[in-house]
Amino acid sequence: MNNILILPVLIPVFMGALLILFQKKPMVQRILSSITVLLTLAISVYLAILVYQRGILTLEFGDWQAPFGIVFVADLFATFMVVLSSLIGAICLFYGFTTLSKKREAYFYYPFYLFLLTGVNGAFLTGDLFNLFVFFEVMLIASYILIVFGGTGYQLRESFKYVIINVFGSILFLVAVAYIYGVTGTVNMAHLAQRTAEIGQTGALQVGAIILLIVFAMKGALFPLYFWLPRSYYGPPAAVAALFGALLTKVGIYAIIRVFTLIFNQDVSFTHTLILILAGLTMFFGVLGAVAQYDFKRILAYHIISQVGYMVMGLGLYTKLAIAGAVYYIAHHIIVKAALFLLAGVTQHVTGTTDLKKMGGLLKTHPLLAWMFFISAISLAGIPPLSGFFSKLPLILDSMTTGHYIIGGVALLVGLLTLFSMLKIFIYVFWGKQTHTEEQAKISTWRLLLPIMPLVALSIILGFAAEPIFTYSLEVAEQLLSPDDYINAVLGG
């Protein structure tokens, strides 16, 4: 039964390699990639149910026992993330069918799309640091290809910065892994947790913890290492930008939460206070960037930065309620951010621009598009009864009850500024005088909006069904705060 753990990684990588052989047959690639993402999603949901019912599952490759062999570990948090990544992967793929040109499809778009999902799912399921590095690289190499699809001058220029910062981050990651292995003699996460508890998180291990935090902060776009993100995510097609905006930074956030709840949890007063400070600065400077912009996609890109601050805020507070709020917030943000990027793509398809000052009146000609955006926008801002409110509420409540008033105040301020920037988009793009032509007003958007509808519906469901979903988030948080369960599942005992 535990062999199912490999399937969310094995299926997309196998099919991605197979699709290379069908480069000149786009319809075959579409059919096979559709089957792949739907099958991966179904298996991911089944795996999540299995873990919820039976507890943590492990898979030791080649029957080499941990910590000596490669191991996959499926706990509540990992399977939760795999389900979300598979869901977004499926929706963005179907959206791309209606928007991507045949020229882009011909240059191995579908294989690298599936390779990216392979890297993301592998990063969530792996049980050791070195293979976390490997899956990061699989994900990033695929993203390097996808980010330059179209080959515009802007894309090539900005993707160069994206590649450089991530290559530097990968080198630093490898240095960190080697350094930690030199100190502890292991890269297995469960074994590292044991060794850290034995040695104590001081001196050399503290240095390793900070290096890893820097690496994951680069990947997750935390302050001050977020400068590469807004312009890099502006250039790609909407389907790719939505996939990146929803998933890639969350892999970095997942790694921070995993490492600093399982391994480096001995000196919380230092490491987690530092994480809390980074969270506040990330939220504040990210939302300032969004408020200053007058471009649809740039505003959304800056909001990725501000919103990841809420996720690491939960880790910095380091209580069951706060971490549950962070987990809930990750689900909310992945869903809503993907919806918003795809809706931005629809408006660009109709108007031919993302400049707010050149748009207006879409509410009259495309009301469904307008109201789907409005629901997603106020959800991102945290307006009840949608998912954004119930994901932010536990974080702010916990910050106030534990005496962290400054970070709680920053979170409230960022929520207000997020609402301001989202309303700015709605007023400029959908309200007011119609600026697009009558021919543009007649453009049908049904095929484009159809894949986005499940995301908007999920945001509503996450709000109205907040109690059972938050109960699940609390169970995830409880498991994260009980590293002995993870250690025993991997190493026995």
Side-chain angles (χ1 to χ4, degrees):
M1 181 61 70
N2 288 17
N3 289 334
I4 194 175
L5 269 68
I6 191 63
L7 293 182
V9 175
L10 183 63
I11 292 172
V13 73
F14 175 78
M15 292 303 296
L18 181 64
L19 288 179
I20 293 174
L21 304 177
F22 298 96
Q23 178 192 0
K24 296 181 180 180
K25 298 181 179 179
M27 186 54 64
V28 174
Q29 293 195 73
R30 288 187 176 195
I31 293 170
L32 291 178
S33 58
S34 298
I35 294 171
T36 302
V37 295
L38 291 175
L39 182 60
T40 304
L41 176 59
I43 290 172
S44 300
V45 172
Y46 176 70
L47 179 59
I49 294 170
L50 202 63
V51 169
Y52 186 77
Q53 293 174 341
R54 300 191 182 186
I56 299 173
L57 301 178
T58 63
L59 175 63
E60 296 170 338
F61 290 82
D63 208 24
W64 283 85
Q65 293 185 353
F68 305 106
I70 297 171
V71 62
F72 270 17
V73 186
D75 63 353
L76 290 174
F77 190 35
T79 54
F80 177 75
M81 297 300 292
V82 170
V83 169
L84 289 171
S85 70
S86 301
L87 172 67
I88 298 303
I91 286 175
C92 291
L93 181 78
F94 294 135
Y95 179 90
F97 289 162
T98 59
T99 57
L100 290 173
S101 65
K102 292 183 179 180
K103 182 179 179 181
R104 281 175 170 160
E105 287 183 318
Y107 286 97
F108 306 104
Y109 170 77
Y110 296 109
F112 282 102
Y113 189 98
L114 295 180
F115 291 151
L116 185 139
L117 293 181
T118 299
V120 171
N121 289 343
F124 294 149
L125 290 170
T126 187
D128 68 78
L129 275 182
F130 181 75
N131 280 296
L132 181 62
F133 164 78
V134 170
F135 284 116
F136 262 85
E137 291 309 294
V138 172
M139 176 188 74
L140 289 172
I141 290 170
S143 73
Y144 299 156
I145 305 300
L146 293 176
I147 204 169
V148 297
F149 267 112
T152 65
Y154 180 91
Q155 279 181 270
L156 294 173
R157 183 175 66 252
E158 296 306 323
S159 63
F160 178 75
K161 300 174 186 176
Y162 173 82
V163 171
I164 292 298
I165 188 66
N166 279 289
V167 167
F168 176 75
S170 297
I171 294 170
L172 195 60
F173 195 174
L174 199 57
V175 169
V177 172
Y179 180 86
I180 291 170
Y181 179 78
V183 175
T184 63
T186 185
V187 291
N188 181 279
M189 292 186 190
H191 202 204
L192 272 171
Q194 280 189 337
R195 289 289 176 88
T196 306
E198 293 168 0
I199 298 170
Q201 192 181 318
T202 56
L205 275 179
Q206 196 75 291
V207 173
I210 297 304
I211 296 174
L212 278 182
L213 179 59
I214 293 170
V215 170
F216 298 144
M218 285 184 188
K219 311 296 186 183
L222 296 182
F223 178 89
L225 303 170
Y226 60 75
F227 57 88
W228 56 269
L229 186 147
R231 296 180 68 86
S232 297
Y233 284 18
Y234 176 80
V240 176
L243 186 71
F244 283 17
L247 290 184
L248 295 197
T249 52
K250 309 312 176 299
V251 180
I253 301 304
Y254 169 87
I256 292 175
I257 294 174
R258 175 66 71 194
V259 167
F260 285 91
T261 55
L262 177 64
I263 302 171
F264 299 112
N265 55 10
Q266 308 296 318
D267 190 7
V268 174
S269 61
F270 173 72
T271 53
H272 291 63
T273 300
L274 177 60
I275 289 169
L276 195 61
I277 293 169
L278 291 177
L281 293 172
T282 302
M283 285 190 286
F284 183 70
F285 285 102
V287 81
L288 286 185
V291 168
Q293 299 299 316
Y294 279 86
D295 184 277
F296 201 150
K297 289 176 71 175
R298 289 191 197 278
I299 292 174
L300 297 181
Y302 272 101
H303 274 309
I304 296 173
I305 299 165
S306 67
Q307 304 299 306
V308 296
Y310 284 98
M311 302 168 203
V312 291
M313 174 185 170
L315 176 63
L317 293 170
Y318 205 61
T319 66
K320 181 179 175 181
L321 179 63
I323 292 179
V327 170
Y328 201 126
Y329 200 93
I330 289 172
H332 147 74
H333 189 260
I334 286 175
I335 291 167
V336 172
K337 184 56 68 175
L340 286 169
F341 265 105
L342 295 178
L343 289 167
V346 178
T347 60
Q348 187 175 11
H349 176 74
V350 173
T351 63
T353 182
T354 56
D355 187 342
L356 300 188
K357 296 179 181 179
K358 297 179 181 179
M359 304 164 78
L362 278 174
L363 178 61
K364 179 181 178 182
T365 59
H366 295 82
L368 181 60
L369 169 62
W371 292 118
M372 285 177 66
F373 169 81
F374 183 77
I375 292 169
S376 302
I378 62 173
S379 179
L380 186 74
I383 303 300
L386 300 171
S387 58
F389 174 77
F390 291 104
S391 57
K392 289 180 181 178
L393 181 62
L395 294 170
I396 295 171
L397 283 177
D398 192 78
S399 65
M400 296 303 179
T401 55
T402 56
H404 296 89
Y405 303 115
I406 294 176
I407 191 72
V410 170
L412 288 170
L413 176 62
V414 170
L416 288 173
L417 292 176
T418 301
L419 179 61
F420 169 78
S421 58
M422 288 294 101
L423 289 178
K424 180 170 71 175
I425 294 175
F426 188 78
I427 290 169
Y428 272 90
V429 177
F430 300 101
W431 205 258
K433 183 180 178 181
Q434 178 180 328
T435 58
H436 49 284
T437 65
E438 289 303 319
E439 288 185 1
Q440 290 174 320
K442 295 176 182 178
I443 294 175
S444 175
T445 58
W446 274 98
R447 290 182 63 197
L448 294 172
L449 293 176
L450 194 60
I452 312 174
M453 290 178 183
L455 295 175
V456 178
L458 278 173
S459 178
I460 298 170
I461 292 168
L462 283 173
F464 282 92
E467 184 177 357
I469 296 168
F470 191 71
T471 300
Y472 179 82
S473 299
L474 285 169
E475 293 186 37
V476 175
E478 186 175 2
Q479 196 173 76
L480 286 170
L481 291 171
S482 304
D484 287 345
D485 295 340
Y486 186 101
I487 295 167
N488 291 335
V490 176
L491 301 178

